[in-house]
Amino acid sequence: MAALAWLLIPLFAVVGAAIWGSWASRNKTIGDVAELAGYARFRDAMERSHVTTADSVRSEREPAATASAVTTSPSG
């Protein structure tokens, strides 16, 4: 009976190695696609916030430039 127990140890090791091997070699492309899509959404959001900031700064400067151009009239 003791010999049978010693033979079961390698058998359990082989079964465990097969389970781990199948888990390690699973298809991981689904997670990558979702991760890349999330990164693309993040990049788009950052580009939009950067453009919005630049537009708001530009719009703050433009009325002052337009007002100075309107107030200066040719003195003739």
Side-chain angles (χ1 to χ4, degrees):
M1 192 67 174
L4 183 61
W6 281 106
L7 290 175
L8 288 178
I9 293 171
L11 178 68
F12 287 137
V14 167
V15 170
I19 291 171
W20 179 82
S22 65
W23 178 79
S25 66
R26 70 189 187 282
N27 191 1
K28 301 176 199 169
T29 58
I30 294 171
D32 292 342
V33 171
E35 208 170 303
L36 289 173
Y39 178 67
R41 287 192 307 269
F42 170 75
R43 247 188 1 215
D44 291 341
M46 292 305 289
E47 286 176 3
R48 276 185 273 142
S49 70
H50 180 64
V51 170
T52 304
T53 305
D55 288 343
S56 64
V57 169
R58 187 178 308 131
S59 66
E60 289 175 3
R61 292 181 185 168
E62 286 178 4
T66 327
S68 64
V70 171
T71 56
T72 56
S73 59
S75 58

